[in-house]
Amino acid sequence: MYSTLSDPQVTDPQVTIVVVPRERFSFTRQSLESIYQHTDLPFKLVYVDGGSPQPVQDYLQTQARERGFELIRQDRYLSPNYARNLGLRYVDTKYVVFIDNDVEVTPGWLSPLVTCAEETGASVISPLLLIGKLEDQIIHSAGGEAHVKENQKTDHSSRKFHEKMYGCNKPVATMQQHLYRQETELAEFHCMFIRSAIFEQVGCFDQGLLNTREHLDFCMLVRQSGGTVYLEPASVITYVPGPPLEWTDIPFYMLRWSDAWAIASMRHFYSKWNLDKDETKLAKSTVEFRRKWTLLNPLIHRLTFGQDYLLVKKVVYRLDKLLNRYLTDRYARKYQQTSTSEVVSSPTQTTTLAEV
């Protein structure tokens, strides 16, 4: 059975679990209950709640009182790294797990991660990440590659970013021979186990990355500082994306996967790592695809009774661009003054938060 802060027998857990919003709020209950049902080691829990609708806010407040975890509430939507830094300042354990609010963990998921850390000295560990329903057993990520390729030519040198996810969208059954504990270059923030001491080398999470490349940036910084990243497939979690979404999810989803945040993030990433190619067009097309797949196409399907007329698509897609621009502009005007003045202190350093 699990133990928590409210358990009088637990005085010194090794792990803090920090839950942050990913892209919606409607999976909050299922995700949190899976953590309390399936975690097999003592843990502390810090829950960062950014702008959830009233029913979710009420649920989290009740759970925080009953279970004794730390609830951090801000009445606005938060970018992922901003939320992680808010949670990080409450971490005083040897290890921390950052986990999104739309994942389900499986029985005994935490023990293998701790064991891997103790036996390998790893700085970052990824479980085997599935996607969708657990029973479908479809891999989202089983580690991967994330590094800068530098080519030295006679007249100039080039720096290009290389990323590859292992096992993406493949059934677990077809990948069994590759699923063993191993060093890798890539872990994702759906669920990332971290040795807390590494923040002394790499600092807090980079808030210039608003909605993309955060995990790649962090893993590269860890490896650059001499740390290691491991895959531990004995631990399994599944990421459960929409659709469907609740109506109250839509404004956050639109901001989370906005064009403005994607372009700003990609430009920041390429500038930070001194890369030659600025793939802002790729970033923009990726978030547009997310909005179409999760929000717009289901809406069009309902409006046209399954016919998906081309004219309706054009109109809805155009309205999406206008609404997306309006939401991001409104958010920036409303919060950029307060965001840049906030300071979050971690156990290792103090970092000024710049949201937009």
Side-chain angles (χ1 to χ4, degrees), residues 1-7 9-19 31-47 67-70 92-93 95-97 99 105 109-111 114 193:
M1 279 295 292
Y2 63 84
S3 301
T4 72
L5 280 171
S6 58
D7 189 330
Q9 295 182 344
V10 176
T11 58
D12 191 26
Q14 285 189 301
V15 181
T16 301
I17 300 171
V18 178
V19 185
S31 181
L32 183 60
E33 290 182 357
S34 80
I35 292 174
Y36 277 99
Q37 181 180 357
H38 296 312
T39 305
D40 57 341
L41 290 177
F43 66 93
K44 296 182 178 182
L45 183 75
V46 176
Y47 202 106
R67 299 187 184 273
F69 62 78
E70 188 74 42
D92 59 3
T93 51
Y95 303 114
V96 55
V97 183
I99 193 166
V105 300
W109 69 284
L110 186 56
S111 290
V114 173
F193 182 97

Side-chain angles (χ1 to χ4, degrees), residues 63-93:
Q63 292 298 304
R65 287 193 301 268
E66 294 179 354
R67 299 187 184 273
F69 62 78
E70 188 74 42
L71 177 61
I72 306 169
R73 166 75 185 186
Q74 289 204 358
D75 293 323
R76 62 186 173 105
Y77 303 137
L78 308 176
S79 67
N81 270 357
Y82 181 95
R84 292 179 189 115
N85 281 334
L86 286 177
L88 181 60
R89 70 175 180 179
Y90 292 87
V91 175
D92 59 3
T93 51

Side-chain angles (χ1 to χ4, degrees), residues 339-350:
S339 296
T340 54
S341 64
E342 289 181 87
V343 175
V344 167
S345 300
S346 78
T348 58
Q349 68 175 66
T350 299

Side-chain angles (χ1 to χ4, degrees), residues 38 55 62 71 78 145 152 167 213 240 254 305 314 319:
H38 296 312
T62 299
L71 177 61
L78 308 176
E145 301 169 15
Q152 188 69 44
R213 295 296 196 266
V240 187
M254 289 284 285
F305 301 98
K314 287 183 177 179
L319 289 174

Side-chain angles (χ1 to χ4, degrees), residues 12 28 32 36 60 64 66 80-83 99 108 111 136 141 215 222 233 248 309 313 315 317 326 336:
D12 191 26
T28 296
L32 183 60
Y36 277 99
L60 289 173
E66 294 179 354
N81 270 357
Y82 181 95
I99 193 166
S111 290
D136 292 341
S141 174
H215 63 296
V222 166
T248 49
Y309 294 114
K313 275 191 173 181
V315 171
Y317 288 171
Y326 167 77
Q336 65 180 357

